[in-house]
Amino acid sequence: MTRPHHKFWPARLPHAITPPATSLWDNLAISARRYPDKPALVFFGRTLSYAQLRQACERLAARLQSLGVLKGDRVLLDMQNCPQLVIAHFAILRADAVVVPVNPMNRAEELKHYITDPDARVAITTADLAGELAAASDALPAGQRLQHLIVTRFTDAFDAAIEGEDAPPAAWRDWLLAPHALPTLADGQVHAWQDALAWGGPLAETTAGPQDLSVLPYTSGTTGLPKGCMHTHASIMHNAVASGLWGSGTAETVALVVVPMFHITGMVSVMHAAVYLGATMVLMPRWDRELAGRLISRWKVSSFTNIPTMIIDLLASPNFASFDLSSLKTISGGGAAMPQAIAQRLFDTYGLRYAEGYGLTETAAPSHQNPLDHSKQQCLGIPFLSTDARVVDPETLRELPQGEQGEIVIHGPEVFQGYWKRPDATAAAFFELEGKRFFRSGDLGRVDEDGYFFITDRLKRMINASGFKVWPAEVEALMFRHPAIQEACVIATQDAYRGESVKAVVVLRPGQQGQVKEQDIVDWCREHMAVYKAPRVVQFVDALPKSGSGKVMWRSLQEAEAARA
C-alpha cells in the first residue's frame, strides 16, 4: 500500500528487504573470510583485523562452553565501549547463547535484577565494574548467584604507553590504567580475560538460526522492574542490514562508535551493521569532544551516529577549527531533538544533513528514520524499511487521520517477540490491526501531510536525559530504600544541555526534617543507582498530591514543574 512518505523514499532502496536467513554470527564469519586483514576495530591506536576478531571470539566461545554455557543460556555482558565488548558479544552468539547487555552505570542494587531475572550464571565485565557485579551476586541467595565472572582490563586491548593523537585523554588515564584487583565470587570463580582467550579447548558447531533468541536487552516501564525484550537473530539481523543500507554503508565505511554498544542503537545500528558490512569501527569508551575530533580527523571517519548533545559539544570546542571533518558522509542520531541552529551550522559548514531517527529497545533501534536527502528537523522521520507504522487512538486503537495526535504503533520484522517471563506485559503491548500484529510504543505523536512522524507527548511516564531513558517508577523504588524518605515522586525538569533531567519531590519521614538536606539525598542516589537516573534536583514537600483513590498525582507535579520552567 502506497503511503504519503513514499514520495520521499530513497530512490536507491526498496520499501522492504529480505535479510539473510542466517545467524548473526555468520555476519562476522563471512566478513572475516572476505576481509581477513582489514581493520575491524580501532582502539587507542591499536587495530584488530577481522580475522583476529573472529579468532578471539571463537576462543572465548569455546571457553564459555567449557564453563557450561549451553544453547539459549543467558550471559550477562557489562562493559563500556571497547574491543572486548565486541569480542564478548559475538563469542556469546557463537556459543549459541543469548547476550544480556547491561548498562555499566548500574550499581550493585540494580544489577541483582539483571542476574536473577534472566537466570544468568555467567557474566563478562571490565575490572572497574567487576566489584559491583560481584557484590550484586554475593548479596543474592545461594541458588541465584553467578557461577563464573570473566574480567578484562582496558589495557588488554591497547598499549598503556601510547602517546599522541590516538592516546586517551589525560583525565581518563587513571580510570583506564588502574590495576583493579580481581574480585572474589561467593560460590563461583573469577577468570582473567587473557586466560579465557588462551583457552584451547574444542568449540562445538553452531546451530543457532533466525528464530532463536540472540539478545535480551532490558527496558524499564511505568511500573515495576526492568523487563527483558526478547529479540531473535532475525529481528536484529533485519535492522543491522537495513541500517547499513539506509546509511549507504559499505566495507569502506569507517564509523566512530561512541554511542554505547550496550544500548540498542549502538548495538544494532552501529556494531551489528558494521560487522555485516565489513566496515571499520573506531571505538570510544566515553564521550570526549577533543578525542572525537582527533579520531575523525586521524581515521577519516565517514559515519557518525550520536546524540545531539555530542554535536553541540563538538562544535563548541575551542579546537574545532583544527579538526578535519571533511571525511564525514553521514551523520545521524536520536534520543533527543537536534536544535535547528546546530543542524543548520552542520549543513552550512559541511553540507551534512543531520538525520534524526526514532526507535525503542522493543524495535531493535530504528522503526523510523529520516531519509538522508529529505530530512526534516525535530522529526522522527518516516517508517523504516519493511515497517508499517500508524497513529491510533490510545483508547479505541483505531487509526487516526493525518494530523491528529494519538499513539504511535509499529509492525515490522524488527519488532521483538515479547517480554521475558512477562506474558501479561507482552499481551498488553500488542494488538491486531488489519490482520497485522502492532506494538504499542507508548509515545504520542502525529503524522504530517508528507507522512513524516512527530512525537508530541508520552503516554508512558518517562524522562529522556540526553537520550537515556529514565523510568520514574524504577528510581522511586530505589529511593524508598533511603531511611529518611517516606514518599517520593520523580518527574522531569528542563535542562538546557540534556533536554531533561531527573527531579525528585520528596516527603521525609517524621523527625527527619532538618536532619537531612536535599544534597544528602542527591549524593545517596548517585551512590545507589546509575548516574543518569539519579535525581539532579530534590525538592522537599510536606505532602504529595493524591487522587481520591490515594494514587500520587504525578502529572500535576509535572505540569507545575513545566509551568515553573
Side-chain angles (χ1 to χ4, degrees):
M1 176 179 171
T2 301
R3 287 188 172 262
H5 68 268
H6 288 143
K7 291 187 299 183
F8 306 96
W9 195 263
R12 61 193 167 79
L13 294 177
H15 293 164
I17 61 171
T18 305
T22 50
S23 76
L24 295 167
W25 167 257
D26 283 323
N27 293 344
L28 175 56
I30 290 168
S31 288
R33 288 202 302 272
R34 287 176 170 168
Y35 316 108
D37 301 321
K38 186 176 185 295
L41 307 174
V42 178
F43 190 62
F44 296 130
R46 182 181 293 183
T47 61
L48 194 71
S49 72
Y50 268 99
Q52 291 170 325
L53 175 58
R54 175 177 179 167
Q55 182 184 52
C57 293
E58 289 178 332
R59 285 182 173 270
L60 183 56
R63 184 56 174 140
L64 290 173
Q65 289 179 344
S66 77
L67 298 177
V69 173
L70 302 174
K71 183 175 182 178
D73 283 355
R74 280 73 57 203
V75 179
L76 195 150
L77 179 54
D78 184 13
M79 287 188 193
Q80 290 185 280
N81 289 0
C82 59
Q84 297 95 313
L85 185 152
V86 182
I87 293 168
H89 185 100
F90 279 91
I92 295 166
L93 295 175
R94 176 58 184 85
D96 290 346
V98 180
V99 182
V100 181
V102 175
N103 188 328
M105 287 188 275
N106 281 319
R107 309 302 295 268
E109 191 62 41
E110 298 162 297
L111 288 168
K112 291 179 186 177
H113 179 66
Y114 296 100
I115 297 172
T116 58
D117 192 65
D119 303 307
R121 295 294 176 263
V122 178
I124 308 174
T125 190
T126 44
D128 58 319
L129 306 174
E132 292 287 334
L133 258 178
S137 177
D138 291 353
L140 295 170
Q144 299 179 5
R145 295 170 180 165
L146 292 172
Q147 296 171 357
H148 298 281
L149 180 60
I150 299 174
V151 182
T152 182
R153 295 184 171 89
F154 287 104
T155 48
D156 290 334
F158 78 101
D159 181 2
I162 187 173
E163 299 291 343
E165 58 189 352
D166 282 325
W172 290 4
R173 295 189 71 86
D174 287 346
W175 159 57
L176 291 169
L177 306 182
H180 298 278
L182 298 185
T184 57
L185 199 62
D187 302 335
Q189 295 177 285
V190 177
H191 311 269
W193 177 263
Q194 298 289 20
D195 293 341
L197 258 61
W199 183 257
L203 176 61
E205 290 296 319
T206 177
T207 61
Q211 302 313 313
D212 288 313
L213 287 186
S214 61
V215 297
L216 188 68
Y218 275 72
T219 183
S220 297
T222 53
T223 59
L225 292 166
K227 302 184 292 292
C229 297
M230 297 187 290
H231 275 289
T232 62
H233 287 261
S235 59
I236 301 296
M237 178 73 82
H238 178 276
N239 268 12
V241 175
S243 295
L245 288 169
W246 197 267
S248 300
T250 71
E252 304 311 315
T253 295
V254 179
L256 183 65
V257 187
V258 64
V259 289
M261 292 184 287
F262 67 79
H263 187 272
I264 198 71
T265 299
M267 181 201 311
V268 179
S269 294
V270 183
M271 179 178 69
H272 274 287
V275 167
Y276 173 76
L277 294 168
T280 297
M281 290 179 274
V282 181
L283 306 181
M284 288 180 64
R286 293 178 181 173
W287 173 249
D288 179 275
R289 67 187 184 187
E290 307 304 319
L291 178 61
R294 295 199 307 270
L295 291 177
I296 294 170
S297 307
R298 162 84 168 83
W299 294 97
K300 304 299 180 187
V301 168
S302 58
S303 175
F304 182 18
T305 300
N306 52 71
I307 56 175
T309 50
M310 293 178 182
I311 301 300
I312 295 168
D313 197 32
L314 180 62
L315 293 178
S317 167
N319 301 311
F320 182 73
S322 68
F323 301 144
D324 180 7
L325 308 188
S326 61
S327 60
L328 284 171
K329 300 295 184 289
T330 61
I331 187 163
S332 60
M338 169 63 81
Q340 186 171 358
I342 301 298
Q344 193 62 45
R345 183 178 171 190
L346 269 179
F347 181 72
D348 292 343
T349 308
Y350 293 102
L352 290 170
R353 295 190 184 277
Y354 190 87
E356 295 182 42
Y358 166 81
L360 302 135
T361 306
E362 290 91 341
T363 62
S367 62
H368 295 68
Q369 186 71 47
N370 270 279
L372 297 177
D373 298 330
H374 296 284
S375 293
K376 291 192 178 187
Q377 294 176 3
Q378 288 85 48
C379 172
L380 305 183
I382 61 178
F384 205 39
L385 289 153
S386 314
T387 302
D388 184 358
R390 315 280 184 93
V391 171
V392 303
D393 184 304
E395 299 296 328
T396 67
L397 300 179
R398 292 180 180 176
E399 186 173 4
L400 294 172
Q402 173 258 316
E404 288 194 22
Q405 176 179 279
E407 184 176 2
I408 298 170
V409 298
I410 302 145
H411 166 84
E414 75 272 38
V415 175
F416 75 137
Q417 300 302 300
Y419 294 111
W420 177 259
K421 294 182 180 177
R422 293 291 304 275
D424 54 337
T426 300
F430 289 95
F431 74 102
E432 191 169 298
L433 177 64
E434 298 177 0
K436 297 179 180 179
R437 184 175 184 248
F438 277 83
F439 167 66
R440 301 185 63 174
S441 72
D443 286 327
L444 296 179
R446 62 177 177 84
V447 183
D448 71 5
E449 65 278 6
D450 295 326
Y452 283 69
F453 282 64
F454 292 79
I455 198 165
T456 55
D457 202 348
R458 298 189 184 103
L459 194 61
K460 296 177 181 176
R461 187 182 164 203
M462 184 266 285
I463 300 167
N464 190 339
S466 287
F468 286 107
K469 305 294 191 296
V470 179
W471 300 94
E474 184 185 0
V475 177
E476 290 164 0
L478 290 164
M479 290 186 71
F480 281 124
R481 297 175 184 271
H482 191 292
I485 293 177
Q486 176 172 303
E487 291 184 293
C489 182
V490 169
I491 58 174
T493 185
Q494 287 191 10
D495 186 306
Y497 180 68
R498 294 171 180 81
E500 292 181 338
S501 284
V502 182
K503 176 177 179 177
V505 183
V506 172
V507 177
L508 294 175
R509 293 182 182 276
Q512 295 295 322
Q513 292 84 351
Q515 305 300 311
V516 177
K517 297 178 180 178
E518 290 90 341
Q519 189 60 43
D520 296 334
I521 302 295
V522 171
D523 294 342
W524 183 92
C525 289
R526 291 176 70 90
E527 288 180 15
H528 290 83
M529 63 186 79
V531 67
Y532 71 92
K533 297 178 191 173
R536 291 175 173 268
V537 180
V538 169
Q539 176 188 356
F540 290 154
V541 295
D542 293 332
L544 296 176
K546 294 178 181 175
S547 67
S549 63
K551 291 184 178 180
V552 174
M553 298 171 66
W554 65 269
R555 194 177 296 276
S556 67
L557 289 172
Q558 186 65 74
E559 290 171 352
E561 180 67 21
R564 184 161 41 246

